[in-house]
């Protein structure tokens, strides 16, 4: 899970390790949300054309494919056509 950067920086870079795509360093920017004292939104991003961008694209594709994959119960058995 991505965690907000520590400290009071509003932008920068943060290194991560993902078990499927390995190490990547993403840019981030924090934004204060009006009417929500003490809360902010953190956006992580990768520059287009970088290895990090390619890795995020792979993760996005994998997530999309897993959402559309049929889910079978553990006791599912195919029917014989005999």
């Amino acid at each position: 899970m991505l965690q907000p950067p520590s400290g009071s920086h509003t932008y920068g870079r943060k290194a991560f390790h993902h078990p499927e795509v390995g190490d990547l360093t993403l840019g981030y920017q924090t934004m204060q949300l009006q009417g929500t004292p003490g809360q902010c939104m953190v956006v992580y991003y990768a520059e287009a054309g970088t290895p990090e961008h390619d890795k995020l694209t792979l993760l996005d594709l994998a997530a999309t494919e897993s959402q559309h994959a049929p889910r079978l119960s553990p006791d599912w058995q195919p029917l014989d056509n005999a």
Side-chain angles (χ1 to χ4, degrees):
M1 172 181 273
L2 298 179
Q3 298 294 322
S6 59
S8 61
H9 295 106
T10 58
Y11 64 92
R13 299 185 63 70
K14 183 170 170 99
F16 296 92
H17 179 80
H18 191 279
E20 294 180 30
V21 296
D23 296 336
L24 60 162
T25 301
L26 301 176
Y28 71 87
Q29 183 173 0
T30 62
M31 293 163 255
Q32 295 297 318
L33 303 175
Q34 289 183 332
T36 59
Q39 295 186 19
C40 67
M41 179 170 59
V42 180
V43 177
Y44 291 94
Y45 62 90
E47 298 289 338
T50 63
E52 282 79 5
H53 186 266
D54 294 342
K55 291 176 182 184
L56 288 181
T57 300
L58 286 173
L59 289 172
D60 184 44
L61 289 171
T64 300
E65 289 174 2
S66 70
Q67 289 175 359
H68 296 297
R71 300 188 191 263
L72 305 175
S73 66
D75 58 349
W76 178 84
Q77 296 294 319
L79 296 174
D80 290 330
N81 290 331

